[in-house]
Amino acid sequence: MADRPQLFEQTSQYQHWRFTRASLAKLRAENNRLGVERVLHGLRQEAQVGDQETSDMRMAEATANMLTPEEELKLIDFYLKMINVYVTIYRASKLLKPESLDNVKATAINFMKRFYLHNVVFDYPPKSIMLTCFYLATKVENSFMKIEDFIRPLAAAEAKRGSKTQTKSEDVLGLEFIVIQSLQFELAVHHPYRAAYGFYLDMQTFIDEKDALRETYDRTSHFIDKSLHTDLVFHYQPSQIALGAFKLAAKEKDLDIDLYLTQRFDARSLELLFTVLDEIQDGITTFATTSKEEAQAIDLKLILCRNPEKNPNSTLYKRTIAVQGDVPYVSDSDSD
Amino acid sequence: MSVLASALKQEIPAFQADDDTCPQCKSERYLNRPMKLLVGPCYHKMCEQCVSQRFDAGPAPCPVCERILRKAEFYQQIFEDLTVENEVRIRKRMAMTFNRRQEDFKQLKDYNNYLEMVEDITLKLLYDDDTDEAEYMIERYRRENSSIIERNQSKLLRDETIQRLAFDQEQQRKLQQREEHLRLLADEEREKADIKNSLISALATSNMDAKDIVKAKMVQLKKSSLSVRNSLRSTRFNVDDLLADLDDGDGEDEDEADSAPFDPAESPYEPVKITLLDRYDDPKNNAFRQGGLTAAGVTREMHQRYLIEGALAGLFVSPLEEDAASSE
Amino acid sequence: MASKAILGEEINKETESLYKKEKKLGEGTYAVVYLGHHIRTNRKVAIKKIKLGNMRSGLDMSAIREVKALRELRHPNVIELIDVFSHKTNLNLVLEFLDTDLENVIKDKSLVFMPADIKSWMMMALRGLDHCHKCWLLHRDLKPNNFLIASDGQLKLADFGLAREFGDVKRAMTSQTVTRWYRAPELLLGATNYTGSIDIWAMGCIFAELSLRAPYLPGASDLEQLTTILRARGTPTEDEWPGMMKLPTGYNFEKFPKPQFSDLFRGSSEDAVDLMNKMLTFNPVQRLSAADALQHPYFRNLPRPTAPAKLPRPRQTVVDEEEEAAADANRKRQFQEAFDDALSATDADRRQAVEPVAKKMDLRISSPA
């Protein structure tokens, strides 16, 4: 038993971003409840600015279409998948180097998941948040690109799709502060990729089938990618997830790594580890992603129940800006 | 008054370039290390031997510009830039004669006028403009002010002597204090060793409880080193480099610190222990073979250590208990 | 974490309300630093307000690096990041309050360093650095004014605006980093992947600077920095530094001989000079790591490192001028007496006094003060 703490125990990831399944669900439910309250509050504010009839209708519409926590999660999940698409766009335009793709992608996904533990889609729809999380991730992962360079491929993709909306710099940068606040300024995220590479090396002490091991390792990234979308990162350590992904890949390649584990580590620690690995493998294989149709349906509902206080297109928002000259953010401390 | 090197007359090394060649005999410094190149008033150079050869018999023309020179006019170059050399020599010469100081004048105005006059003459000599006139003025001043000149010269001498004496005195003092300190330190060490020995023999022969013996001896030890430190304190001063191996004798708690185990690499964290294989099958092996990475300090070992540490970090952490954490 | 507030904005507001700014301590192009305190505990803090809008692309990279790094480091010799909050479009880092730094200490000529003092600072600095490197983090901007000193004498590593992770061989890094005088040779030769040894080189320079009371390798320009280093340390051979030609801007360097280090570091003990040399080795692979440096006999040999509380600190109070004047007058009287004694010597003595005393003069620019 170590008297002193291990180094990884000092990371923000270990100290602040670990949950039980119950507490995670509770947090999301609480967020959702608060979100609903805020929407209703915002609508009531707007009612004072507009006419009674429209606001009544609005209120009714919103209440009927209020998103449940599960729907919120589904929507977020859909946009998390979009991050993968964008990664390929940036790789193609050579703005992101191949060696940084994994980390940027994983950090962006993680940021977005964390963001919605302290925010609601009613205030901030995932579509815009996703881009800001992505841009922030490029900075955090030492792959900075100027905002103009970041916007360009987006504009090109939008034009190609024939999309009416056009993402501008302000859209991405304007949310940067909100995002980093919600992350509580904790930016270092550790991913399973490094651990997987480490296991690939360490396993060579006990595993002789070189080719099979090599192929297994190559396949491991696929399962790590999948794990990013699950909640596993909130329950387990990156090294454990890496090993779980390795096991799944090993099954495909018919390689036995349990032998390596039993030779490498002592029995008592393995008891816990094997349970953890089973849970992780389960988590990766049983994860159900959101289909496009589902997401579209939820998106439509969101339009109706979005919080006007935070919606740049709402009357209330525009009114507030005109009056206050600023985004509604009240602070008590002294002026700058 | 500063007692620094500038006040002391020190031998300034001559300027020599590695590829100097004597234009006369063509011998190179490269082949003839001790060769001394001298410079004449016309800025032309010649090695010592050639100067002797040419000018021993008497004045002769410079081989380059044909100006008549004497052996005494040749000197060793100090500055790389000959114009600087020339200026320094002229000003030195002027200072021998024009050595009045500010306190010699009743009014600042008069001192300034004097300085202007001196500078006028100096510039004439520097730019080789009306040098005869300049020489005449120097000579005239010298004749008219011979007593003042002599008086100021002896003043200068006196100041220099004082400075050197002070410097020597300071050196002596430092040396003495250093020796004193070393002596005291040696005494203290000896005393410590004696006490240790007596402690050992006491433990071996006495019937008392070992703890009591040690306690008694420790008190004795502290008392003795205390007195030494007190005497050290009374002769404290502010010199740095001469006390390289002495302790900052400042406190009783240092004894506790001295005897307590001391680990310079103390860390609040558990160290990481990883053993590496000699060889791994690694897609990065090729990159390391090229040598560019290792040249910058990025070794295979570091790379492997980085990865395997990542693999083992937190591997046996159990997930949070599902029951316990119900409220955040 | 979130006790009552859950939403990001509210947590932020809550954090902000915990601290009160008092007065401005200093200002730079990048940030303004205020003195402040925690409302409930009254703990003194420094609030570094990072101005944005410097960068057109939103949040500034060095702000991100600093926040990212400090949030993960917890060590007695690394500055503590207590909290972070944002106010409008400013980022506020709440840091522990430290009133002076190593640069102030070196420059304060009224302070005298004992070897035990230097050892103490070096030990604390290396401990802090070792922790960063164990977390696979490079500091990349080590210099005396980035070592802050607390009121209890503890030395702390600060200013992580250039920090970044290392260890991943794939990732390319910039070689344009670290303040010039403290920049390692592999950086000057354009290396795009490097390790903690660049920080150790800087530590070696700082060790030398503490001993000399002046910068050790002050190159006048980026181009000249390498020459300055070669002149001071001698040009390494291919044997000493294998592969140095393979670095991006390696070329056939001018060959300088290796000088006698003990000549310049006359005031330092042998083990100190040995450690310094091992930290200033050209070959980064052989250069000591922070952990190795702490195991060097220098730290275990006498004298013991000074206890932090007893280390010299720049004085705040004005020197008692009367005291100094009295000491001065005393010295003058002693000289006068000595002179009078000397005058009563013979003429021969006087002539001797005029003869120059042959001594070698040190023409280096960075002469010890």
Side-chain angles (χ1 to χ4, degrees), chain A residues 22-205:
Chain A
S23 54
L24 200 58
K26 190 154 184 260
L27 193 56
R28 285 174 172 148
E30 187 64 17
N31 263 303
N32 180 272
R33 188 186 64 78
L34 277 173
V36 169
E37 257 179 39
R38 291 162 71 83
V39 173
L40 294 176
H41 179 260
L43 284 174
R44 264 174 251 133
Q45 296 277 74
E46 204 174 41
Q48 290 165 10
V49 190
D51 69 278
Q52 195 62 38
E53 229 188 277
T54 5
S55 38
D56 278 345
M57 192 177 71
R58 276 264 179 77
M59 193 77 87
E61 266 181 348
T63 329
N65 287 293
M66 214 57 95
L67 298 185
T68 62
E70 293 76 34
E71 287 174 320
E72 272 194 73
L73 212 52
K74 283 212 168 96
L75 193 60
I76 295 167
D77 170 67
F78 179 76
Y79 283 100
L80 285 176
K81 285 198 294 187
M82 289 296 287
I83 292 182
N84 291 316
V85 175
Y86 281 105
V87 166
T88 45
I89 293 181
Y90 284 98
R91 190 217 341 238
S93 28
K94 298 218 199 307
L95 286 165
L96 276 182
K97 295 211 191 77
E99 55 260 18
S100 48
L101 290 176
D102 280 341
N103 282 335
V104 171
K105 171 181 64 185
T107 300
I109 292 175
N110 188 283
F111 277 176
M112 195 160 152
K113 289 173 79 69
R114 287 186 185 185
F115 176 79
Y116 283 112
L117 293 182
H118 294 284
N119 270 292
V120 290
V121 302
F122 306 111
D123 284 349
Y124 301 105
K127 197 163 182 184
S128 0
I129 288 293
M130 183 253 304
L131 287 174
T132 307
C133 285
F134 193 91
Y135 191 50
L136 190 59
T138 60
K139 288 186 188 174
V140 168
E141 295 299 329
N142 299 296
S143 305
F144 169 75
M145 62 181 93
K146 285 192 268 197
I147 189 67
E148 298 90 31
D149 294 333
F150 184 73
I151 297 291
R152 220 179 319 116
L154 297 177
E158 278 158 0
K160 210 157 120 195
R161 274 203 310 263
S163 170
K164 276 169 275 159
T165 50
Q166 202 184 49
T167 318
K168 296 188 289 293
S169 307
E170 307 86 76
D171 300 331
V172 176
L173 297 181
L175 291 170
E176 238 183 356
F177 262 105
I178 303 292
V179 168
I180 202 175
Q181 263 173 31
S182 307
L183 299 174
Q184 278 141 81
F185 305 95
E186 288 167 356
L187 302 172
V189 189
H190 301 268
H191 305 300
Y193 299 103
R194 170 182 164 192
Y197 194 169
F199 277 119
Y200 168 58
L201 294 184
D202 199 49
M203 286 177 181
Q204 291 173 29
T205 34

Side-chain angles (χ1 to χ4, degrees), chain B residues 283-303:
Chain B
K284 281 270 138 209
N285 277 339
N286 267 330
F288 281 106
R289 235 164 265 147
Q290 315 226 327
L293 283 172
T294 315
V298 183
T299 58
R300 274 203 189 94
E301 290 71 40
M302 184 213 79
H303 155 73

Side-chain angles (χ1 to χ4, degrees), chain B residues 42-291:
Chain B
C42 53
Y43 302 141
H44 296 126
K45 299 190 195 182
M46 245 190 277
C47 76
E48 217 171 1
Q49 279 87 348
C50 289
V51 169
S52 273
Q53 232 178 21
R54 243 176 201 280
F55 300 98
D56 268 345
C62 165
V64 183
C65 63
E66 313 232 331
R67 174 170 157 179
I68 303 290
L69 307 171
R70 280 183 290 278
K71 185 174 178 190
E73 288 177 315
F74 275 84
Y75 52 85
Q76 264 206 320
Q77 187 184 2
I78 295 177
F79 298 98
E80 180 176 357
D81 185 345
L82 283 173
T83 49
V84 172
E85 178 91 37
N86 186 42
E87 174 151 356
V88 165
R89 294 208 162 254
I90 288 177
R91 286 192 186 272
K92 259 196 187 160
R93 203 188 110 197
M94 292 288 286
M96 299 268 282
T97 308
F98 296 95
N99 62 0
R100 288 224 220 169
R101 304 180 186 187
Q102 185 170 352
E103 47 258 33
D104 292 342
F105 295 89
K106 286 229 182 70
Q107 288 199 19
L108 181 64
K109 187 167 52 125
D110 298 324
Y111 180 54
N112 282 333
N113 288 337
Y114 163 81
L115 287 178
E116 258 190 63
M117 183 254 305
V118 173
E119 191 62 20
D120 274 342
I121 302 179
T122 310
L123 288 176
K124 281 201 212 290
L125 290 175
L126 272 180
Y127 295 113
D128 210 8
D129 166 40
D130 223 356
T131 44
D132 291 336
E133 165 92 20
E135 295 291 350
Y136 169 72
M137 288 172 75
I138 295 174
E139 188 55 39
R140 201 182 83 179
Y141 177 85
R142 190 141 52 95
R143 261 184 285 122
E144 288 175 5
N145 299 282
S146 57
S147 52
I148 297 179
I149 293 175
E150 209 181 297
R151 184 193 67 183
N152 282 348
Q153 271 180 348
S154 60
K155 256 199 203 170
L156 187 65
L157 255 174
R158 204 185 82 162
D159 286 342
E160 284 171 0
T161 315
I162 290 181
Q163 282 199 326
R164 175 134 22 77
L165 283 168
F167 185 73
D168 287 341
Q169 209 182 47
E170 185 70 25
Q171 293 283 70
Q172 274 295 77
R173 196 169 63 101
K174 283 187 190 177
L175 227 66
Q176 278 175 351
Q177 288 192 307
R178 176 169 204 235
E179 281 167 28
E180 168 100 17
H181 266 254
L182 288 173
R183 227 178 306 132
L184 285 172
L185 199 71
D187 285 341
E188 191 190 320
E189 290 294 308
R190 221 177 306 126
E191 209 183 327
K192 266 196 186 160
D194 287 340
I195 289 179
K196 257 215 179 86
N197 285 332
S198 67
L199 175 61
I200 290 172
S201 52
L203 280 171
T205 57
S206 161
N207 288 329
M208 280 206 286
D209 188 15
K211 220 195 312 175
D212 293 326
I213 298 178
V214 173
K215 224 201 297 185
K217 282 295 175 191
M218 288 310 274
V219 167
Q220 192 182 4
L221 185 71
K222 274 195 196 158
K223 276 214 189 114
S224 70
S225 52
L226 240 183
S227 67
V228 172
R229 289 190 203 280
N230 278 330
S231 65
L232 273 178
R233 216 175 283 146
S234 59
T235 55
R236 260 174 78 76
F237 53 91
N238 273 342
V239 180
D240 31 359
D241 32 12
L242 290 183
L243 298 179
D245 45 5
L246 292 180
D247 212 333
D248 182 349
D250 211 11
E252 303 80 37
D253 37 340
E254 256 200 35
D255 272 347
E256 276 129 48
D258 273 356
S259 45
F262 164 59
D263 179 15
E266 189 184 293
S267 162
Y269 297 98
E270 197 66 30
V272 181
K273 292 188 194 68
I274 288 178
T275 38
L276 300 171
L277 288 182
D278 286 331
R279 237 196 134 265
Y280 289 103
D281 201 28
D282 182 356
K284 281 270 138 209
N285 277 339
N286 267 330
F288 281 106
R289 235 164 265 147
Q290 315 226 327

Side-chain angles (χ1 to χ4, degrees), chain B residues 178 240-245, chain C residues 113-116 118-119 206-213 261-277 298 303:
Chain B
R178 176 169 204 235
D240 31 359
D241 32 12
L242 290 183
L243 298 179
D245 45 5
Chain C
F113 297 170
M114 301 296 275
I118 298 180
K119 191 178 288 192
I206 293 171
F207 193 4
E209 188 163 340
L210 283 169
S211 311
L212 298 171
R213 289 303 272 277
F261 300 118
S262 45
D263 282 348
L264 179 59
F265 295 101
R266 248 170 276 134
S268 304
S269 55
E270 226 178 273
D271 52 2
V273 178
D274 184 62
L275 176 59
M276 212 182 295
N277 284 336
Y298 167 68

Side-chain angles (χ1 to χ4, degrees), chain B residues 236-241 243 248, chain C residues 105-106 108-118 121 210 213 306 310-313 315:
Chain B
R236 260 174 78 76
F237 53 91
N238 273 342
V239 180
D240 31 359
D241 32 12
L243 298 179
D248 182 349
Chain C
V105 166
I106 291 177
D108 186 343
K109 295 305 182 196
S110 72
L111 297 178
V112 175
F113 297 170
M114 301 296 275
D117 301 335
I118 298 180
W121 284 315
L210 283 169
R213 289 303 272 277
T306 316
K310 300 205 172 93
L311 286 167
R313 294 175 64 78
R315 269 184 292 186

